[in-house]
PDB file of all heavy atoms in Angstrom:
ATOM      1  N   ASP C 304      20.948   5.777  15.899  1.00 97.00           N
ATOM      2  CA  ASP C 304      19.951   5.092  16.793  1.00 97.00           C
ATOM      3  C   ASP C 304      18.674   4.704  15.906  1.00 97.00           C
ATOM      4  O   ASP C 304      18.270   3.492  16.019  1.00 97.00           O
ATOM      5  CB  ASP C 304      19.486   5.958  17.936  1.00 97.00           C
ATOM      6  CG  ASP C 304      20.561   5.923  19.039  1.00 97.00           C
ATOM      7  OD1 ASP C 304      21.564   5.273  18.897  1.00 97.00           O
ATOM      8  OD2 ASP C 304      20.368   6.688  19.981  1.00 97.00           O
ATOM      9  N   GLU C 305      18.307   5.515  15.076  1.00 98.00           N
ATOM     10  CA  GLU C 305      17.098   5.190  14.258  1.00 98.00           C
ATOM     11  C   GLU C 305      17.304   4.171  13.299  1.00 98.00           C
ATOM     12  O   GLU C 305      16.600   3.247  13.086  1.00 98.00           O
ATOM     13  CB  GLU C 305      16.654   6.617  13.514  1.00 98.00           C
ATOM     14  CG  GLU C 305      15.322   6.570  12.919  1.00 98.00           C
ATOM     15  CD  GLU C 305      14.188   6.091  13.887  1.00 98.00           C
ATOM     16  OE1 GLU C 305      14.163   6.610  15.086  1.00 98.00           O
ATOM     17  OE2 GLU C 305      13.431   5.446  13.360  1.00 98.00           O
ATOM     18  N   ALA C 306      18.624   4.267  12.623  1.00 98.00           N
ATOM     19  CA  ALA C 306      18.910   3.112  11.685  1.00 98.00           C
ATOM     20  C   ALA C 306      18.986   1.814  12.383  1.00 98.00           C
ATOM     21  O   ALA C 306      18.553   0.840  11.813  1.00 98.00           O
ATOM     22  CB  ALA C 306      20.266   3.552  11.049  1.00 98.00           C
ATOM     23  N   CYS C 307      19.676   1.786  13.556  1.00 98.00           N
ATOM     24  CA  CYS C 307      19.776   0.477  14.352  1.00 98.00           C
ATOM     25  C   CYS C 307      18.350  -0.063  14.664  1.00 98.00           C
ATOM     26  O   CYS C 307      18.156  -1.246  14.620  1.00 98.00           O
ATOM     27  CB  CYS C 307      20.617   0.763  15.572  1.00 98.00           C
ATOM     28  SG  CYS C 307      22.253   1.140  15.228  1.00 98.00           S
ATOM     29  N   LYS C 308      17.506   0.950  15.052  1.00 98.00           N
ATOM     30  CA  LYS C 308      16.145   0.474  15.407  1.00 98.00           C
ATOM     31  C   LYS C 308      15.371  -0.241  14.229  1.00 98.00           C
ATOM     32  O   LYS C 308      14.821  -1.152  14.362  1.00 98.00           O
ATOM     33  CB  LYS C 308      15.398   1.750  15.862  1.00 98.00           C
ATOM     34  CG  LYS C 308      14.384   1.497  17.018  1.00 98.00           C
ATOM     35  CD  LYS C 308      13.982   2.815  17.701  1.00 98.00           C
ATOM     36  CE  LYS C 308      12.532   3.065  17.257  1.00 98.00           C
ATOM     37  NZ  LYS C 308      12.242   4.449  17.802  1.00 98.00           N
ATOM     38  N   LYS C 309      15.631   0.439  13.085  1.00 98.00           N
ATOM     39  CA  LYS C 309      14.924  -0.114  11.800  1.00 98.00           C
ATOM     40  C   LYS C 309      15.479  -1.474  11.448  1.00 98.00           C
ATOM     41  O   LYS C 309      14.817  -2.321  11.014  1.00 98.00           O
ATOM     42  CB  LYS C 309      15.054   0.877  10.678  1.00 98.00           C
ATOM     43  CG  LYS C 309      14.292   2.155  10.779  1.00 98.00           C
ATOM     44  CD  LYS C 309      14.156   2.814   9.434  1.00 98.00           C
ATOM     45  CE  LYS C 309      13.176   3.946   9.434  1.00 98.00           C
ATOM     46  NZ  LYS C 309      13.692   5.258   9.821  1.00 98.00           N
ATOM     47  N   TRP C 310      16.794  -1.508  11.611  1.00 98.00           N
ATOM     48  CA  TRP C 310      17.510  -2.880  11.211  1.00 98.00           C
ATOM     49  C   TRP C 310      16.931  -3.926  12.114  1.00 98.00           C
ATOM     50  O   TRP C 310      16.574  -5.015  11.644  1.00 98.00           O
ATOM     51  CB  TRP C 310      19.016  -2.702  11.414  1.00 98.00           C
ATOM     52  CG  TRP C 310      19.711  -2.470  10.163  1.00 98.00           C
ATOM     53  CD1 TRP C 310      20.393  -1.292   9.784  1.00 98.00           C
ATOM     54  CD2 TRP C 310      19.873  -3.360   8.989  1.00 98.00           C
ATOM     55  NE1 TRP C 310      20.982  -1.468   8.576  1.00 98.00           N
ATOM     56  CE2 TRP C 310      20.732  -2.715   8.086  1.00 98.00           C
ATOM     57  CE3 TRP C 310      19.487  -4.609   8.781  1.00 98.00           C
ATOM     58  CZ2 TRP C 310      21.084  -3.352   6.884  1.00 98.00           C
ATOM     59  CZ3 TRP C 310      19.919  -5.262   7.564  1.00 98.00           C
ATOM     60  CH2 TRP C 310      20.671  -4.582   6.633  1.00 98.00           C
ATOM     61  N   THR C 311      16.950  -3.627  13.440  1.00 98.00           N
ATOM     62  CA  THR C 311      16.505  -4.662  14.369  1.00 98.00           C
ATOM     63  C   THR C 311      15.049  -5.044  14.094  1.00 98.00           C
ATOM     64  O   THR C 311      14.764  -6.259  14.098  1.00 98.00           O
ATOM     65  CB  THR C 311      16.673  -4.192  15.870  1.00 98.00           C
ATOM     66  OG1 THR C 311      18.010  -3.679  15.944  1.00 98.00           O
ATOM     67  CG2 THR C 311      16.392  -5.242  16.837  1.00 98.00           C
ATOM     68  N   LYS C 312      14.287  -3.975  13.803  1.00 98.00           N
ATOM     69  CA  LYS C 312      12.775  -4.297  13.519  1.00 98.00           C
ATOM     70  C   LYS C 312      12.752  -5.243  12.340  1.00 98.00           C
ATOM     71  O   LYS C 312      11.926  -6.182  12.359  1.00 98.00           O
ATOM     72  CB  LYS C 312      12.111  -2.895  13.316  1.00 98.00           C
ATOM     73  CG  LYS C 312      10.853  -3.076  12.604  1.00 98.00           C
ATOM     74  CD  LYS C 312       9.691  -3.224  13.495  1.00 98.00           C
ATOM     75  CE  LYS C 312       8.253  -3.038  12.864  1.00 98.00           C
ATOM     76  NZ  LYS C 312       7.938  -4.090  11.875  1.00 98.00           N
ATOM     77  N   MET C 313      13.438  -4.897  11.283  1.00 98.00           N
ATOM     78  CA  MET C 313      13.363  -5.770  10.070  1.00 98.00           C
ATOM     79  C   MET C 313      13.741  -7.147  10.305  1.00 98.00           C
ATOM     80  O   MET C 313      13.038  -8.078   9.896  1.00 98.00           O
ATOM     81  CB  MET C 313      14.193  -5.108   8.910  1.00 98.00           C
ATOM     82  CG  MET C 313      13.994  -5.912   7.606  1.00 98.00           C
ATOM     83  SD  MET C 313      14.753  -5.108   6.199  1.00 98.00           S
ATOM     84  CE  MET C 313      16.453  -5.623   6.396  1.00 98.00           C
ATOM     85  N   ILE C 314      15.024  -7.294  10.932  1.00 97.00           N
ATOM     86  CA  ILE C 314      15.371  -8.577  11.217  1.00 97.00           C
ATOM     87  C   ILE C 314      14.431  -9.420  12.137  1.00 97.00           C
ATOM     88  O   ILE C 314      14.112 -10.615  11.863  1.00 97.00           O
ATOM     89  CB  ILE C 314      16.803  -8.670  11.786  1.00 97.00           C
ATOM     90  CG1 ILE C 314      17.771  -7.886  10.826  1.00 97.00           C
ATOM     91  CG2 ILE C 314      17.309 -10.146  11.995  1.00 97.00           C
ATOM     92  CD1 ILE C 314      17.943  -8.501   9.457  1.00 97.00           C
ATOM     93  N   GLU C 315      13.902  -8.795  13.136  1.00 97.00           N
ATOM     94  CA  GLU C 315      12.937  -9.340  14.027  1.00 97.00           C
ATOM     95  C   GLU C 315      11.693  -9.801  13.231  1.00 97.00           C
ATOM     96  O   GLU C 315      11.047 -10.913  13.647  1.00 97.00           O
ATOM     97  CB  GLU C 315      12.605  -8.439  15.138  1.00 97.00           C
ATOM     98  CG  GLU C 315      13.670  -8.497  16.262  1.00 97.00           C
ATOM     99  CD  GLU C 315      13.405  -7.446  17.409  1.00 97.00           C
ATOM    100  OE1 GLU C 315      12.576  -6.548  17.166  1.00 97.00           O
ATOM    101  OE2 GLU C 315      14.157  -7.495  18.352  1.00 97.00           O
ATOM    102  N   ASP C 316      11.274  -8.977  12.279  1.00 97.00           N
ATOM    103  CA  ASP C 316      10.072  -9.355  11.508  1.00 97.00           C
ATOM    104  C   ASP C 316      10.347 -10.642  10.753  1.00 97.00           C
ATOM    105  O   ASP C 316       9.460 -11.478  10.522  1.00 97.00           O
ATOM    106  CB  ASP C 316       9.813  -8.233  10.482  1.00 97.00           C
ATOM    107  CG  ASP C 316       9.023  -7.078  11.189  1.00 97.00           C
ATOM    108  OD1 ASP C 316       8.513  -7.241  12.321  1.00 97.00           O
ATOM    109  OD2 ASP C 316       8.922  -6.029  10.629  1.00 97.00           O
ATOM    110  N   VAL C 317      11.569 -10.762  10.270  1.00 96.00           N
ATOM    111  CA  VAL C 317      11.870 -12.108   9.485  1.00 96.00           C
ATOM    112  C   VAL C 317      11.898 -13.218  10.523  1.00 96.00           C
ATOM    113  O   VAL C 317      11.348 -14.382  10.264  1.00 96.00           O
ATOM    114  CB  VAL C 317      13.224 -12.021   8.848  1.00 96.00           C
ATOM    115  CG1 VAL C 317      13.583 -13.337   8.096  1.00 96.00           C
ATOM    116  CG2 VAL C 317      13.274 -10.914   7.830  1.00 96.00           C
ATOM    117  N   VAL C 318      12.392 -12.988  11.741  1.00 95.00           N
ATOM    118  CA  VAL C 318      12.356 -14.044  12.792  1.00 95.00           C
ATOM    119  C   VAL C 318      10.901 -14.392  13.004  1.00 95.00           C
ATOM    120  O   VAL C 318      10.563 -15.584  13.203  1.00 95.00           O
ATOM    121  CB  VAL C 318      13.050 -13.502  14.131  1.00 95.00           C
ATOM    122  CG1 VAL C 318      12.916 -14.597  15.179  1.00 95.00           C
ATOM    123  CG2 VAL C 318      14.574 -13.387  13.806  1.00 95.00           C
ATOM    124  N   ALA C 319      10.070 -13.388  13.071  1.00 96.00           N
ATOM    125  CA  ALA C 319       8.584 -13.579  13.312  1.00 96.00           C
ATOM    126  C   ALA C 319       7.967 -14.422  12.246  1.00 96.00           C
ATOM    127  O   ALA C 319       6.997 -15.190  12.542  1.00 96.00           O
ATOM    128  CB  ALA C 319       7.817 -12.227  13.472  1.00 96.00           C
ATOM    129  N   VAL C 320       8.542 -14.302  10.944  1.00 95.00           N
ATOM    130  CA  VAL C 320       7.936 -15.019   9.885  1.00 95.00           C
ATOM    131  C   VAL C 320       8.066 -16.572  10.282  1.00 95.00           C
ATOM    132  O   VAL C 320       7.165 -17.381  10.116  1.00 95.00           O
ATOM    133  CB  VAL C 320       8.665 -14.776   8.587  1.00 95.00           C
ATOM    134  CG1 VAL C 320       8.343 -15.814   7.483  1.00 95.00           C
ATOM    135  CG2 VAL C 320       8.417 -13.402   8.101  1.00 95.00           C
ATOM    136  N   ASN C 321       9.282 -16.937  10.750  1.00 91.00           N
ATOM    137  CA  ASN C 321       9.413 -18.436  11.075  1.00 91.00           C
ATOM    138  C   ASN C 321       8.473 -18.774  12.219  1.00 91.00           C
ATOM    139  O   ASN C 321       7.923 -19.835  12.161  1.00 91.00           O
ATOM    140  CB  ASN C 321      10.900 -18.497  11.613  1.00 91.00           C
ATOM    141  CG  ASN C 321      11.847 -18.267  10.447  1.00 91.00           C
ATOM    142  OD1 ASN C 321      11.518 -18.650   9.201  1.00 91.00           O
ATOM    143  ND2 ASN C 321      12.986 -17.678  10.648  1.00 91.00           N
ATOM    144  N   ARG C 322       8.268 -17.893  13.201  1.00 93.00           N
ATOM    145  CA  ARG C 322       7.355 -18.284  14.271  1.00 93.00           C
ATOM    146  C   ARG C 322       5.816 -18.357  13.804  1.00 93.00           C
ATOM    147  O   ARG C 322       5.204 -19.243  14.080  1.00 93.00           O
ATOM    148  CB  ARG C 322       7.385 -17.173  15.372  1.00 93.00           C
ATOM    149  CG  ARG C 322       6.458 -17.322  16.477  1.00 93.00           C
ATOM    150  CD  ARG C 322       6.756 -16.364  17.585  1.00 93.00           C
ATOM    151  NE  ARG C 322       6.430 -14.968  17.285  1.00 93.00           N
ATOM    152  CZ  ARG C 322       5.114 -14.440  17.361  1.00 93.00           C
ATOM    153  NH1 ARG C 322       4.135 -15.205  17.635  1.00 93.00           N
ATOM    154  NH2 ARG C 322       5.004 -13.233  17.026  1.00 93.00           N
ATOM    155  N   LEU C 323       5.554 -17.425  12.897  1.00 95.00           N
ATOM    156  CA  LEU C 323       4.187 -17.346  12.443  1.00 95.00           C
ATOM    157  C   LEU C 323       3.819 -18.317  11.396  1.00 95.00           C
ATOM    158  O   LEU C 323       2.583 -18.438  10.983  1.00 95.00           O
ATOM    159  CB  LEU C 323       3.819 -15.921  12.016  1.00 95.00           C
ATOM    160  CG  LEU C 323       3.804 -14.852  13.085  1.00 95.00           C
ATOM    161  CD1 LEU C 323       3.700 -13.462  12.510  1.00 95.00           C
ATOM    162  CD2 LEU C 323       2.596 -15.069  14.145  1.00 95.00           C
ATOM    163  N   THR C 324       4.816 -19.096  10.855  1.00 94.00           N
ATOM    164  CA  THR C 324       4.505 -20.029   9.744  1.00 94.00           C
ATOM    165  C   THR C 324       4.971 -21.364  10.451  1.00 94.00           C
ATOM    166  O   THR C 324       5.287 -22.244   9.610  1.00 94.00           O
ATOM    167  CB  THR C 324       5.075 -19.808   8.484  1.00 94.00           C
ATOM    168  OG1 THR C 324       6.496 -19.532   8.689  1.00 94.00           O
ATOM    169  CG2 THR C 324       4.632 -18.455   7.901  1.00 94.00           C
TER     170      THR C 324
END
Side-chain angles (χ1 to χ4, degrees):
Chain C
D304 281 356
E305 194 52 42
C307 291
K308 218 164 104 186
K309 286 197 171 86
W310 262 111
T311 307
K312 160 89 169 70
M313 183 172 81
I314 304 296
E315 280 175 350
D316 283 344
V317 179
V318 174
V320 169
N321 294 323
R322 175 173 69 81
L323 291 170
T324 56

